[in-house]
Amino acid sequence: MKLKVAINGYGTIGKRVADAVALQDDMEVVGVTKTKPDFEARIAAKKFDLYLAKKENSELFQKAGIETCGTLEELLAKADIVVDCSPDKVGAENKKIYEKLSIKAIFQGGEKKEVAEVSFNALANYDQAKGKRFVRVVSCNTTALTRLIYLLKMNFKIGRVRATILRRISDPKEDNKGLMNAIMPDPIALPSHHAKDVKTVLPDVDIVTTAFKLPTTIMHVHSLSIEMKEKVKKEDVIAILEKEPRIMLVSAEDGFTSTAKIVEFARELRMRYDIFENVVWLESIAIDGNDLFVTQAVHQEAIVVPENIDAIRAIFGVEKRLSIEKTNRSLRIGEKNF
Ligand code: NAD
């Protein structure tokens, strides 16, 4: 029997999670919700059963000629689990509905950690989500940092991690936000919240983060320095990262000179140019004294999608390795196709 998954909130993350669920052989999308009858709702209705996120908007959908299958409550009655992909902090409001209807739910990184019993990253703490009712998939930046730090921590003795996060100002579709010609420390007072968020998954990591907003929409970039508490060669680090499908090692020699080139690569090979992996520059991996340096790029719209799929399976008790392998295969993560 396939797990019946509802998606509440069909924006940047929701549409990607819905498509990823549809690719799994052990899950099906029972429906998605939209708030407004716009072009995205029309496309959603062609692909999935469409429900009203807000029942008071029923007439608007009727007027626009977009057929819906019912209300959010009616959708949830058909589902085993809901993946909440509504905007920041709206998930916490929606949780009241999920509690009332006794349905399991996954929340996104825009919610506070208190929304769920566990904050989740598939590589780092999959088993902690087993059997839980409410799980929060951490944000794009936290997902990328956690994956990388977890791999290093599992293989080497590491000390303090320092990370500088260069954040894209908005997603490409957002025409109501921008930063035309400035670089904005965010926050100006240190540290940034990302370190605290990493600790919701890896509580014993000693980490400090700083963050800046940049006038770009396509990817974030992280520059990390990690104190190594044992002698390590850069080749040892490369060998560990090469083995992990959710890390994509790229080289400037191969033409990957910036985030623009990474996205151009993905435009050739991936739907919506989605990059589910941490993209690590091979040349950036360097050891200086006791410090390891690494630079990675993060496709903010896509990186949390495999984590949502694994979180669904974790909640239903599926074994970690089995879930991650299925997710990787279905989303073609780690395919060496260049
Ligand atoms: P989005 O604005 O693209 O999509 C949110 C969707 O939810 C929109 O279609 C909106 O109309 C709908 N919505 C509004 N109110 C709703 C309600 N009450 N019930 C159901 N749906 C409602 O936002 P997004 O970028 O997809 O972000 C969703 C979540 O994922 C946030 O928590 C965000 O922090 C997190 N996240 C976003 C990114 C990113 O880069 N975009 C990356 C990782 C995590």
Side-chain angles (χ1 to χ4, degrees):
M1 268 249 297
K2 291 186 175 189
L3 287 172
K4 295 179 168 33
V5 184
I7 317 290
N8 190 24
Y10 191 81
T12 301
I13 302 299
K15 66 171 84 164
R16 288 171 168 82
V17 171
D19 283 338
V21 167
L23 286 174
Q24 309 307 309
D25 61 11
D26 54 350
M27 300 178 192
E28 62 179 304
V29 180
V30 284
V32 305
T33 69
K34 282 298 294 176
T35 48
K36 293 183 294 288
D38 56 7
F39 74 92
E40 293 214 277
R42 285 182 205 283
I43 295 171
K46 286 215 160 68
K47 293 168 86 168
F48 303 108
D49 283 354
L50 181 67
Y51 290 76
L52 297 160
K54 297 179 177 175
K55 51 177 170 264
E56 59 273 25
N57 288 352
S58 164
E59 229 174 83
L60 291 177
F61 279 78
Q62 269 174 21
K63 266 195 203 149
I66 302 176
E67 252 184 65
T68 57
C69 305
T71 62
L72 170 66
E73 286 77 2
E74 285 168 320
L75 167 61
L76 297 182
K78 294 180 187 158
D80 299 313
I81 186 163
V82 56
V83 184
D84 187 292
C85 301
S86 63
D88 293 1
K89 314 291 179 286
V90 176
E93 285 302 309
N94 290 339
K95 186 181 174 188
K96 295 172 195 156
I97 305 170
Y98 308 150
E99 279 176 323
K100 202 167 99 197
L101 298 179
S102 296
I103 186 162
K104 297 173 193 298
I106 291 172
F107 298 94
Q108 306 305 314
E111 304 303 321
K112 290 193 174 140
K113 73 173 173 41
E114 290 74 23
V115 79
E117 296 153 276
V118 61
S119 290
F120 180 84
N121 174 264
L123 291 184
N125 71 341
Y126 182 99
D127 287 336
Q128 284 177 23
K130 277 189 173 167
K132 293 287 190 294
R133 195 169 150 204
F134 297 125
V135 170
R136 166 184 170 260
V137 170
V138 290
S139 74
C140 45
N141 282 307
T142 307
T143 295
L145 288 170
T146 305
R147 273 186 196 163
L148 184 62
I149 296 166
Y150 170 78
L151 286 170
L152 296 171
K153 189 171 161 332
M154 289 305 285
N155 290 283
F156 309 107
K157 278 194 202 115
I158 67 167
R160 174 169 270 214
V161 178
R162 293 179 181 82
T164 301
I165 299 166
L166 308 173
R167 302 176 57 191
R168 59 88 181 98
I169 182 62
S170 71
D171 288 338
K173 73 170 185 192
E174 291 177 304
D175 52 12
N176 56 345
K177 287 187 192 169
L179 183 72
M180 183 69 94
N181 187 24
I183 294 171
M184 185 189 285
D186 181 44
I188 293 180
L190 303 182
S192 76
H193 72 276
H194 304 91
K196 213 165 147 197
D197 208 30
V198 167
K199 283 167 175 281
T200 65
V201 183
L202 296 172
D204 56 348
V205 168
D206 180 0
I207 176 167
V208 183
T209 52
T210 57
F212 298 81
K213 286 181 178 169
L214 271 76
T216 177
T217 63
I218 51 180
M219 297 186 95
H220 305 296
V221 169
H222 299 169
S223 168
L224 288 99
S225 91
I226 301 122
E227 182 194 359
M228 304 306 276
K229 294 203 153 175
E230 61 179 316
K231 275 267 163 283
V232 173
K233 293 199 291 286
K234 74 172 186 180
E235 289 73 20
D236 304 331
V237 176
I238 293 169
I240 297 299
L241 300 184
E242 252 173 357
K243 269 196 287 190
E244 173 48 57
R246 291 196 184 178
I247 305 281
M248 185 193 289
L249 281 171
V250 299
S251 164
E253 228 175 68
D254 215 10
F256 292 98
T257 46
S258 70
T259 53
K261 290 291 173 21
I262 296 168
V263 165
E264 188 60 12
F265 148 80
R267 278 195 185 116
E268 296 282 333
L269 298 171
R270 299 272 176 97
M271 180 157 92
R272 304 189 181 106
Y273 71 78
D274 280 350
I275 308 167
F276 305 111
E277 301 90 335
N278 297 29
V279 184
V280 175
W281 271 285
L282 201 53
E283 292 87 344
S284 77
I285 302 173
I287 308 269
D288 184 75
N290 293 331
D291 292 324
L292 164 68
F293 292 89
V294 185
T295 306
Q296 63 179 1
V298 182
H299 183 200
Q300 75 282 354
E301 297 170 294
I303 193 166
V304 298
V305 173
E307 309 300 319
N308 273 277
I309 301 300
D310 290 327
I312 296 172
R313 290 205 188 89
I315 287 176
F316 288 95
V318 177
E319 199 230 320
K320 174 179 177 179
R321 199 176 46 86
L322 190 75
S323 177
I324 291 180
E325 275 176 17
K326 260 180 187 285
T327 308
N328 287 355
R329 211 176 317 118
S330 61
L331 296 178
R332 303 176 58 189
I333 291 173
E335 264 186 24
K336 296 276 178 246
N337 43 17
F338 63 98

